[in-house]
Amino acid sequence: MCLQLNDTKVDSITTDYNPDKANYHPLKDAAWKKGQKIPYLALTRTFQLIEETRGRLKMVEILGNFFSSVIVTNPDDLLPSIYLSINQLAPAYEGLELGVAETTLMKIICDTTGRKMDFIKSQTHITGDLGIVAEQSRMAQRMMFKPAPLTISGVFKKLKDIANAPGKNKVTPIKDIFIACRGSEARFFIRSLIGKLRIGIAEQSLINAVATGIVKSKHMDNLKKIGEEKLKTEIEEVTLILKTTYCQCPNYDKIIPTLLEYGINEIEERCPMLPGVPIKPMLAQPTKGVSEVLERFDGLTITCEFKYDGERAQIHCDENGVISIFSRNQENNTTKYPDIICRIGEFSKECVKSYIIDSEIVAWDVEQKMILPFQVLTTRKRKNVDVQEIKVQVCVYAFDLLYLNGEPLVTKPFADRRKLMKENFNETEGMWHFAHAMDTSDVDEVQAFLEESIKGNCEGLMVKTLQKDATYEIARRSRNWLKLKKDYLAGCGDSLDLVVIGGYRGKGKRTGSYGGFLLACYDDENEEYQSICKIGTGFSDESLQTHADFFKNHVVPTKKSYIACDSSLEPDDWFEPVQVWEVKCADLSISPIHKAAIGIADPEKGISLRFPRFIRIRDDKTPEMATTGREVAYMYNSQDQIKNQQSRQTAMDDDFY
């Protein structure tokens, strides 16, 4: 039975609780007693310290210290603490969203604090953060009677109730919690409702923090004796187990209770891959041309597949025959494709009881029997599609089988997975096809097949190993899958998917909108966005206005700690990293001011794009799925002029020695 919180004890957390403390002890420094319901204020105080911290390792340490205290005092609060730390209420594929408009929250703040709407709006415009405005307004309010202190479990339950409540029924529970908020609770509660926590904790940091919490709670009474290196090594080992488990079963509702009951050593076995739970897809590395593909796969048996210009789709069927369709970022797209669900019975043979298929869904011209451009597919409604109202028909191109009849196949070679797929599934013209493929190691055949793919309205080729190094690498961008796009036939080898982090106000005919934007790649190791270019071409006047309307709701007052950018590039407005753009360029060059891939291609300088131009918005990608710094460096080094320079340097070095 959990003990209730004491008002005085909770209020002291505002100043006394410090998970950033040196030699933090999970129990002695917890600021609440073992068995107590953990105060929400302890979590928001942790968020506050993280927000004020620069450096991912320190952020992970602070959150890990908090998690260690949760584990040893009230482990039931670990799951809600994790979800609140990444601003989720359930696994991403369940699609549980709060859906509260900012104007509604402003009205609630006015109603509960006595502030005027004009004041709330003006302060929000100045600070760029309704959470800060809510905190200041709440702290300025005097109350005769204090509501009971908020707890992590209580707030998490209320947030789930709010998400499930229709429209106006959300207002009362929001008011109830907001009135009870103390200190930083108001800031982060409002930010949770908006959907922007703004502390910079992404998936990798979260898993590292959970691992830190597990190890520190285990060794809490001899942390000094165990030594930093041994502690670091054990945290890395636990992190790897958690990451592997999360990749095959991305569901904290299953992972955390299993972890607490059975421990870290049994978690992989007890949280297996299952239909209905999407796994993170394997991704391909970009390449610079046919010769590079054959150089990479020299001596290996490879296959080339058409690279279809559609939407990546993971199609699941469980033992009960329930069908689910997930996007590449684990969004549940089942209601988007009722036409696929209707004819799913034609796809699998009678012997098939359960499966997970990796595929691409493309728009299909029924009369011409041909693939249509991706832009046509984007005109389909995103959710709750009525099969009778569908105007854009689709076709599924299956290219991998990850699970069949109760058995995961990801550790089997691709040749075996493909053979099983073709033995157990059917093709139906215009509905179900296997990816068009050719096994070869001949450069001329690859080139001809690339040209054939382009004539077939495809993006290019996917080149894969068949036997050696041919497992399905969950959540990895692997060099055992290479993409050879039609863009390689002219100019820069591949487009890049970049995050918009700032805007430069337009002049002349672009006055009133943004005339240019600052873009960044994503460094997944340090979990930061690194500037890579300014962009102002590829836009129509209409699209510029559309971008301006979108980003005005995502302006922040100052650059976030997880943005790496030189001061000379400072935009007129900084944005929350919320949208990904596909961008083409003439080539890539070393830059003294941009931070992309800094320290990889050059020890002190980054990489920038020359003559970048906007192609399209990538709604199917989250900012964390943007092109990484390592990929940028790879693309830079793959350019012919750079390879030639390196060859000349090698020759000079050989002559010297």
Side-chain angles (χ1 to χ4, degrees):
M1 183 176 177
C2 287
L3 302 171
Q4 294 302 308
L5 292 164
N6 178 290
D7 269 14
T8 305
K9 186 74 171 176
V10 170
D11 288 338
S12 71
I13 289 172
T14 305
T15 53
D16 295 346
Y17 181 55
N18 183 17
D20 190 20
K21 180 181 177 182
N23 300 317
Y24 181 89
H25 191 280
L27 189 58
K28 295 174 183 177
D29 294 319
W32 62 90
K33 293 187 182 298
K34 189 172 184 178
Q36 277 186 335
K37 290 185 176 180
I38 300 177
Y40 181 52
L41 189 56
L43 180 60
T44 62
R45 171 65 178 153
T46 303
F47 291 167
Q48 185 180 352
L49 290 170
I50 292 171
E51 187 177 19
E52 295 166 357
T53 300
R54 291 191 64 84
R56 188 179 71 87
L57 293 178
K58 193 62 178 174
M59 293 162 69
V60 167
E61 181 185 346
I62 293 170
L63 188 59
N65 284 340
F66 171 76
F67 285 155
S68 71
S69 292
V70 174
I71 291 169
V72 300
T73 59
N74 191 349
D76 288 345
D77 279 350
L78 182 60
L79 181 60
S81 295
I82 285 171
Y83 275 130
L84 290 171
S85 298
I86 51 173
N87 209 29
Q88 290 183 11
L89 300 175
Y93 59 87
E94 290 188 9
L96 187 61
E97 298 175 352
L98 286 161
V100 184
E102 192 167 288
T103 51
T104 300
L105 296 176
M106 286 182 173
K107 189 173 186 306
I108 288 171
I109 295 168
C110 291
D111 292 345
T112 53
T113 65
R115 299 284 198 187
K116 300 292 185 183
M117 178 62 80
D118 288 346
F119 175 81
I120 297 296
K121 285 184 176 179
S122 65
Q123 290 299 302
T124 302
H125 179 74
I126 292 168
T127 63
D129 186 349
L130 183 58
I132 294 289
V133 176
E135 181 178 357
Q136 293 169 345
S137 300
R138 184 68 189 83
M139 291 178 71
Q141 182 187 23
R142 294 185 177 183
M143 300 187 69
M144 292 181 64
F145 301 101
K146 286 187 177 181
L150 296 171
T151 64
I152 287 173
S153 56
V155 170
F156 185 67
K157 182 180 183 303
K158 280 283 189 181
L159 285 171
K160 293 188 86 167
D161 291 343
I162 291 166
N164 289 312
K168 294 179 180 178
N169 291 352
K170 298 178 187 287
V171 173
T172 299
I174 292 174
K175 281 185 177 180
D176 290 343
I177 298 178
F178 185 67
I179 289 169
C181 283
R182 308 169 191 224
S184 57
E185 289 178 333
R187 181 195 318 182
F188 293 102
F189 174 62
I190 292 297
R191 285 184 183 176
S192 290
L193 292 167
I194 294 172
K196 293 180 283 190
L197 207 54
R198 296 182 167 183
I199 60 172
I201 292 292
E203 184 179 287
Q204 182 173 318
S205 291
L206 179 81
I207 292 174
N208 286 346
V210 174
T212 300
I214 292 168
V215 175
K216 286 192 172 182
S217 62
K218 175 184 173 184
H219 299 292
M220 69 175 179
D221 290 323
N222 60 346
L223 285 172
K224 290 183 180 178
K225 293 180 183 178
I226 198 171
E228 284 190 20
E229 282 304 312
K230 189 173 180 182
L231 195 69
K232 182 181 176 183
T233 300
E234 189 169 344
I235 289 172
E236 287 174 353
E237 291 170 354
V238 173
T239 297
L240 180 60
I241 294 171
L242 285 175
K243 281 182 180 177
T244 304
T245 304
Y246 186 77
C247 283
Q248 68 187 22
C249 179
N251 184 339
Y252 291 117
D253 289 340
K254 293 184 178 181
I255 291 174
I256 299 305
T258 303
L259 172 68
L260 294 173
E261 183 174 357
Y262 298 103
I264 192 68
N265 294 326
E266 294 188 37
I267 195 170
E268 279 187 75
E269 183 182 347
R270 292 182 179 274
C271 296
M273 179 193 305
L274 290 172
V277 179
I279 65 171
K280 295 211 161 189
M282 181 172 174
L283 303 172
Q285 285 275 15
T287 67
K288 176 56 186 170
V290 173
S291 59
E292 185 179 343
V293 168
L294 295 179
E295 182 182 323
R296 165 71 184 92
F297 292 141
D298 184 33
L300 297 179
T301 307
I302 63 171
T303 188
C304 302
E305 297 174 345
F306 279 15
K307 186 179 190 304
Y308 297 96
D309 192 11
E311 182 173 31
R312 186 83 171 260
Q314 217 175 82
I315 303 175
H316 293 231
C317 176
D318 67 16
E319 297 288 344
N320 299 315
V322 176
I323 306 297
S324 305
I325 302 174
F326 301 100
S327 71
R328 62 179 289 155
N329 58 356
Q330 300 174 287
E331 181 183 359
N332 194 326
N333 276 346
T334 308
T335 62
K336 182 178 180 178
Y337 295 110
D339 41 346
I340 293 177
I341 305 297
C342 286
R343 62 197 193 210
I344 201 83
E346 302 173 34
F347 183 43
S348 58
K349 295 183 179 178
E350 287 187 13
C351 59
V352 176
K353 305 303 179 186
S354 61
Y355 59 82
I356 300 176
I357 284 278
D358 205 351
S359 69
E360 195 84 9
I361 296 175
V362 300
W364 182 261
D365 187 323
V366 178
E367 293 182 359
Q368 299 295 323
K369 297 182 180 179
M370 60 183 288
I371 295 169
L372 295 171
F374 175 75
Q375 287 73 14
V376 177
L377 184 64
T378 62
T379 63
R380 278 181 65 124
K381 192 177 171 184
R382 293 178 66 86
K383 290 183 178 180
N384 301 316
V385 175
D386 185 338
V387 72
Q388 302 298 325
E389 298 176 358
I390 292 174
K391 295 180 181 178
V392 177
Q393 301 299 317
V394 295
C395 179
V396 178
Y397 281 88
F399 57 80
D400 213 331
L401 180 61
L402 314 182
Y403 185 99
L404 180 66
N405 293 341
E407 181 187 0
L409 305 177
V410 291
T411 59
K412 292 183 179 294
F414 178 55
D416 295 355
R417 301 197 307 271
R418 187 173 67 174
K419 182 172 180 286
L420 284 168
M421 179 175 68
K422 292 188 174 183
E423 288 173 350
N424 288 277
F425 295 87
N426 302 303
E427 287 190 291
T428 304
E429 187 178 38
M431 294 183 183
W432 303 99
H433 290 277
F434 301 127
H436 188 38
M438 176 187 68
D439 299 348
T440 185
S441 58
D442 182 86
V443 63
D444 293 330
E445 288 184 349
V446 174
Q447 185 68 41
F449 201 55
L450 173 61
E451 292 170 4
E452 183 184 338
S453 76
I454 295 164
K455 290 176 184 176
N457 290 339
C458 292
E459 288 188 302
L461 299 179
M462 295 289 292
V463 187
K464 305 174 182 179
T465 53
L466 281 170
Q467 289 289 350
K468 186 179 179 182
D469 299 326
T471 59
Y472 189 95
E473 300 177 56
I474 299 172
R476 282 200 62 196
R477 189 174 290 281
S478 172
R479 291 196 68 205
N480 297 324
W481 280 15
L482 301 182
K483 56 181 176 179
L484 184 62
K485 294 176 72 173
K486 60 185 177 185
D487 302 316
Y488 302 128
L489 299 178
C492 176
D494 195 8
S495 59
L496 296 92
D497 297 318
L498 303 174
V499 182
V500 190
I501 59 171
Y504 302 93
R505 296 195 189 105
K507 299 176 182 178
K509 68 175 185 177
R510 290 185 172 182
T511 301
S513 63
Y514 293 107
F517 300 88
L518 182 62
L519 305 184
C521 65
Y522 183 64
D523 179 1
D524 55 349
E525 290 187 356
N526 294 308
E527 291 188 346
E528 67 179 10
Y529 299 94
Q530 301 172 330
S531 72
I532 191 169
C533 70
K534 291 180 179 180
I535 187 170
T537 55
F539 306 106
S540 64
D541 293 342
E542 182 182 0
S543 66
L544 280 174
Q545 190 57 54
T546 299
H547 295 320
D549 292 341
F550 175 80
F551 283 110
K552 72 181 181 183
N553 297 316
H554 299 283
V555 174
V556 293
T558 57
K559 178 169 72 74
K560 291 294 181 180
S561 61
Y562 45 83
I563 301 289
C565 177
D566 190 85
S567 58
S568 64
L569 296 166
E570 184 156 341
D572 293 310
D573 291 318
W574 290 104
F575 303 145
E576 283 279 350
V578 293
Q579 192 173 80
V580 179
W581 288 357
E582 183 178 356
V583 173
K584 280 282 292 174
C585 67
D587 54 40
L588 298 89
S589 60
I590 296 296
S591 168
I593 55 173
H594 284 291
K595 305 295 185 182
I598 190 166
I600 302 178
D602 184 278
E604 297 180 352
K605 297 176 182 178
I607 294 172
S608 65
L609 309 187
R610 292 182 68 245
F611 308 113
R613 65 183 187 277
F614 171 80
I615 304 298
R616 59 172 168 159
I617 298 170
R618 290 299 303 261
D619 284 328
D620 60 327
K621 287 196 172 186
T622 64
E624 290 80 15
M625 296 166 70
T627 299
T628 67
R630 290 193 308 278
E631 290 168 339
V632 170
Y634 181 81
M635 293 174 71
Y636 169 79
N637 286 319
S638 296
Q639 297 175 117
D640 290 338
Q641 66 269 31
I642 303 302
K643 291 168 76 173
N644 291 338
Q645 287 175 13
Q646 292 169 345
S647 296
R648 286 196 297 272
Q649 184 61 49
T650 301
M652 290 172 62
D653 291 343
D654 290 344
D655 289 344
F656 180 81
Y657 288 108

